[in-house]
């Protein structure tokens, strides 16, 4: 009898069927990360963490909670990750043709359109946090949702990172629906321009100053991103640049993934609002793509025949770097195997990184 | 032909997503009305006697009022109802779409202005550094 009592004491008292559902969701995320190689750096820790925090234990897991408090609640992890991202980005293609930056701006249309849509269902701070899924940038989404105290952070994170991985599936149908074959075959010759080292060094400093003045709430995000880039471009900190690109980025990614998972408890994640958020996030990506493409088409109305822009490069203005740029390049090659759009699309893609952070800062300006 | 079918597919997908969103919102409205009609209205009175504050809660018959009034009067009960399993914790307010268009306009204008300023700075910087390198040569 005592033995049976001892055994029954091992059975967790607080067990909910929804915890099993979260195990399945965690398993699906792990499957997508490993088998389909969809953003494995984040989906794998998030998937594993989702299983971990939904095990029937007594109370919270203190270590994970401390990690969350230290890195997510303070927005430290996404900001440090931005140093690594900044160190990885080469702004050369953009600096040789800075006019491409306007497509990065146009492709943030989906964020603000989704803001209007989401506001029909959610409170302003939650609607703004959901809209920033359209930034296609994980750290920006975390920082904005955290600063606005959104209660839907776990759903927003899963949506942001999942859709970033699904960009190769989301963008092509939208681009094809909005362009004709003739437009997709527009050639854009690339003439390489040398960008001076002075320009490369001053660029991150100028961006930080301008963004800090125009959108003060974005100064942390922009500042850390540009600091990483400055480490890369200065030429005297090669070891720091390499550390930032590899060790620092990977280390923070591990902690970020597992910390986000602390918010994926079944009672916070398994809500009908999560489905709505996933739907709105998809809308954000679709209208981002549409915004960039349609803006390019609008410009073509005013441009002479020999200087037309291939509207597909507008779609590369989202922050999913370098996936979006490569997708546009591949679609261009499919239409015309001699049409190389890579340098243009990568330039636009890189500008999307900057524009998405500025959009995040503007959103914070409006709602904080 | 392929382009037309792509457009049709895109249009249909958009329609399906919109219908799903609308049906979810209708469910939200229905569940909110049901919660409002079935739940007794709870009024709360705060009585302060010297240093002691006593909160007296009185439950009365349900009153068929507009959702906003009921929400104000029965805040505690509505909150607990809305947090029940499967209940949708959203309010469908279509007018907010129009009300938030100003943020869309301001946001897009803001981004274009900031990006425009950055582009201008880069172009000027490029010209200055080009001139310097030409002078050195």
């Amino acid at each position: 009898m005592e033995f049976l009592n001892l055994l029954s004491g091992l059975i967790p008292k607080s067990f909910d069927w929804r915890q099993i559902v979260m195990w399945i969701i965690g398993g699906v995320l792990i499957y997508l990360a490993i088998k389909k190689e969809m953003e494995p750096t984040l989906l794998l820790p998030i998937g594993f963490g989702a299983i971990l925090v939904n095990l029937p234990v007594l109370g919270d897991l203190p270590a994970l909670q401390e990690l969350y408090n230290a890195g997510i609640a303070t927005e430290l992890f996404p900001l440090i990750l931005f140093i690594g991202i900044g160190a990885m980005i080469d702004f050369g293609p953009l600096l040789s043709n800075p006019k491409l930056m306007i497509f990065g701006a146009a492709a943030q249309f989906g964020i603000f359109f989704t803001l209007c849509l989401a506001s029909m269902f959610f409170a302003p701070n939650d609607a703004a946090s959901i809209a920033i899924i359209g930034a296609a940038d994980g750290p920006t989404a975390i920082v904005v949702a955290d600063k606005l105290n959104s209660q839907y952070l776990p759903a927003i994170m899963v949506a942001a990172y999942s859709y970033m991985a699904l960009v190769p599936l989301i963008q092509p149908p939208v681009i094809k629906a909005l362009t004709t074959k003739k437009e997709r075959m527009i050639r854009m010759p690339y003439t390489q321009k040398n960008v001076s080292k002075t320009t490369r060094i001053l660029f991150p400093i100028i961006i930080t100053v301008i963004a800090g003045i125009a959108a003060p709430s974005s100064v942390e995000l922009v500042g850390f991103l540009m600091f990483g880039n400055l480490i890369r471009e200065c030429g005297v900190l090669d070891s720091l640049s390499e550390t930032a690109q590899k060790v620092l980025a990977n280390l923070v990614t591990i902690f970020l993934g597992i910390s986000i998972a602390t918010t994926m408890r079944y009672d916070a994640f398994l809500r009908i609002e999560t489905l709505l958020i996933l739907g709105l996030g998809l809308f954000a990506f679709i209208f981002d793509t549409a915004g960039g493409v349609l803006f390019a088409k609008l410009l073509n109305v005013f441009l002479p025949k020999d200087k037309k822009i291939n509207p597909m490069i507008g779609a590369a203005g989202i922050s999913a770097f370098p996936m979006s740029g490569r997708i546009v390049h591949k679609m261009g090659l499919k239409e015309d195997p001699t049409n190389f759009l890579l340098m243009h699309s990568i330039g636009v893609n890189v500008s999307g990184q900057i524009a998405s952070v500025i959009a995040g800062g503007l959103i914070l300006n409006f709602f904080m | 032909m392929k382009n037309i079918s792509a457009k049709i597919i895109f249009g249909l997908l958009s329609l399906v997503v919109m219908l799903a969103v609308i049906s979810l919102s209708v469910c939200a409205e229905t569940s909110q009305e049901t919660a409002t009609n079935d739940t007794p209205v709870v009024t709360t009175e705060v009585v302060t006697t010297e240093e002691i504050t006593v909160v007296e809660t009185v439950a009365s018959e349900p009153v068929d009022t507009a959702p906003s009034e009921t929400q104000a009067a029965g805040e505690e009960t509505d909150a607990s109802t809305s947090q029940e399993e499967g209940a949708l914790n959203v309010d469908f307010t279509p007018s907010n779409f129009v009300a938030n268009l100003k943020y869309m306009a301001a946001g897009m204008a803001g981004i274009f202005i900031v990006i425009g300023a950055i582009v201008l700075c880069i172009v000027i910087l490029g010209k200055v550094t080009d001139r310097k390198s030409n002078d050195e040569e």
Side-chain angles (χ1 to χ4, degrees):
Chain A
M1 201 62 191
E2 268 186 37
F3 179 69
L4 285 173
N5 284 341
L6 187 68
L7 277 182
S8 68
L10 294 174
I11 298 168
K13 305 271 184 307
S14 59
F15 185 70
D16 195 306
W17 63 270
R18 291 176 292 173
Q19 287 169 312
I20 300 178
V21 175
M22 288 307 296
W23 298 351
I24 296 169
I25 290 173
V28 167
L29 291 175
I30 293 171
Y31 171 81
L32 291 172
I34 297 173
K35 202 76 179 163
K36 302 292 178 187
E37 293 182 33
M38 275 174 55
E39 287 285 332
T41 47
L42 272 144
L43 288 189
L44 187 88
I46 291 175
F48 184 79
I51 296 171
L52 195 64
V53 300
N54 286 289
L55 291 170
V57 294
L58 294 169
D60 294 323
L61 297 168
L64 284 184
Q65 196 57 47
E66 279 303 316
L67 212 52
Y68 178 87
N69 292 341
I72 304 289
T74 55
E75 292 130 30
L76 202 56
F77 286 164
L79 291 173
I80 294 175
L81 184 59
F82 250 17
I83 296 176
I85 292 171
M88 288 179 211
I89 297 178
D90 176 15
F91 285 112
L94 180 64
L95 292 172
S96 62
N97 191 3
K99 296 189 284 292
L100 293 174
M101 282 192 83
I102 52 170
F103 296 108
Q108 308 311 312
F109 170 74
I111 297 173
F112 297 100
F113 186 74
T114 306
L115 171 65
C116 295
L117 276 178
S119 64
M120 294 197 290
F121 305 99
F122 295 96
N125 64 323
D126 291 323
S129 304
I130 292 164
I132 208 67
I133 294 172
D137 186 37
T140 306
I142 294 172
V143 169
V144 170
D146 208 58
K147 279 191 191 290
L148 294 177
N149 291 318
S150 174
Q151 55 178 309
Y152 301 110
L153 184 64
I156 288 168
M157 291 327 308
V158 170
Y161 282 106
S162 302
Y163 288 136
M164 275 163 61
L166 288 173
V167 158
L169 293 176
I170 297 171
Q171 287 205 302
V174 179
I175 295 170
K176 280 191 178 162
L178 294 171
T179 54
T180 61
K181 191 174 171 71
K182 195 178 168 188
E183 283 173 332
R184 291 197 291 274
M185 288 177 69
I186 292 174
R187 299 177 77 90
M188 292 181 67
Y190 178 75
T191 45
Q192 187 162 357
K193 270 190 215 173
N194 280 331
V195 180
S196 67
K197 192 173 173 184
T198 312
T199 305
R200 284 177 180 269
I201 292 171
L202 288 177
F203 175 72
I205 300 168
I206 290 169
I207 296 270
T208 308
V209 169
I210 293 175
I213 293 168
S217 306
S218 71
V219 78
E220 277 178 323
L221 286 164
V222 173
F224 276 67
L225 183 73
M226 291 299 140
F227 173 61
N229 190 249
L230 187 59
I231 290 172
R232 176 197 170 97
E233 298 295 351
C234 67
V236 295
L237 293 172
D238 289 342
S239 60
L240 283 192
S241 170
E242 202 171 317
T243 303
Q245 288 180 49
K246 291 178 184 157
V247 175
L248 183 68
N250 290 337
L251 195 60
V252 174
T253 301
I254 291 170
F255 287 133
L256 188 69
I258 203 87
S259 306
I260 289 167
T262 52
T263 59
M264 286 187 68
R265 285 182 57 84
Y266 67 92
D267 47 1
F269 191 80
L270 289 182
R271 297 150 85 168
I272 298 176
E273 294 95 303
T274 302
L275 282 177
L276 194 51
I277 290 166
L278 291 174
L280 287 167
L282 181 61
F283 254 64
F285 269 72
I286 289 173
F287 282 96
D288 273 346
T289 307
V293 170
L294 291 173
F295 184 74
K297 287 177 68 140
L298 177 66
L299 283 183
N300 274 348
V301 169
F302 304 102
L303 290 172
K305 213 171 183 179
D306 56 336
K307 289 208 187 296
K308 295 275 184 207
I309 299 164
N310 190 315
M312 290 199 294
I313 65 164
I318 67 171
S319 181
F321 177 83
M323 217 178 330
S324 193
R326 285 192 196 145
I327 288 162
V328 166
H329 171 61
K330 273 188 190 166
M331 287 182 73
L333 283 177
K334 210 173 169 186
E335 304 292 345
D336 178 3
T338 60
N339 188 8
F340 295 97
L341 296 170
L342 187 66
M343 296 313 285
H344 302 285
S345 62
I346 289 291
V348 173
N349 207 185
V350 157
S351 75
Q353 183 77 64
I354 300 170
S356 66
V357 173
I358 292 171
L362 289 170
I363 292 271
L364 286 173
N365 269 3
F366 294 154
F367 293 99
M368 265 179 68
Chain B
M1 192 64 189
K2 273 186 190 173
N3 199 34
I4 294 168
S5 4
K7 281 182 182 158
I8 291 169
I9 291 166
F10 177 71
L12 282 171
L13 273 172
S14 307
L15 195 61
V16 165
V17 170
M18 279 306 295
L19 282 171
V21 164
I22 290 165
S23 53
L24 273 170
S25 60
V26 167
C27 290
E29 211 173 333
T30 314
S31 67
Q32 204 173 18
E33 280 176 17
T34 312
T36 307
N37 292 336
D38 291 344
T39 311
V41 172
V42 177
T43 54
T44 308
E45 282 182 23
V46 176
V47 175
T48 309
T49 309
E50 292 180 345
E51 292 177 345
I52 302 165
T53 304
V54 175
V55 175
E56 293 183 354
T57 308
V58 178
S60 60
E61 292 297 319
V63 176
D64 191 12
T65 57
S68 57
E69 289 175 10
T70 312
Q71 198 173 7
E75 197 174 338
E76 287 178 12
T77 314
D78 279 348
S80 62
T81 307
S82 64
Q83 284 171 11
E84 282 174 11
E85 289 179 20
L88 199 55
N89 194 20
V90 295
D91 293 321
F92 182 54
T93 319
S95 58
N96 280 350
F97 183 91
V98 176
N100 282 283
L101 281 175
K102 63 182 182 210
Y103 292 120
M104 181 155 84
M108 289 308 296
I111 286 188
F112 273 103
I113 290 168
V114 173
I115 295 290
I118 291 169
V119 169
L120 196 62
C121 288
I122 295 168
V123 167
I124 294 169
L125 190 62
K127 287 199 188 313
V128 167
T129 49
D130 276 348
R131 199 182 300 165
K132 269 191 185 164
S133 60
N134 286 339
D135 288 342
E136 278 166 14
E137 281 169 13

